[in-house]
Amino acid sequence: MINILEFFRNIPRKKCVKCGNDIVEQADCYHNICDSCNHPAI
């Protein structure tokens, strides 16, 4: 049985679907576009 902490450390980082950069996730992170690509001025 794998240690629960190791399990969560080994989950791959979430990637932005537009640019492919890693998304900095918060507790309730359901989006799949990073803040840079989701900026209203872009």
Side-chain angles (χ1 to χ4, degrees):
M1 180 101 192
I2 189 168
N3 182 344
I4 192 70
L5 293 177
E6 286 300 317
F7 171 80
F8 284 110
R9 285 186 190 130
N10 292 326
I11 293 176
R13 302 275 321 238
K14 195 176 206 180
K15 302 273 186 192
C16 175
V17 295
K18 288 188 175 182
C19 67
N21 289 335
D22 289 343
I23 295 177
V24 178
E25 296 187 65
Q26 301 296 318
D28 292 329
C29 182
Y30 301 108
H31 59 274
N32 57 0
I33 299 173
C34 69
D35 291 337
S36 298
C37 292
N38 199 26
H39 194 276
I42 295 177

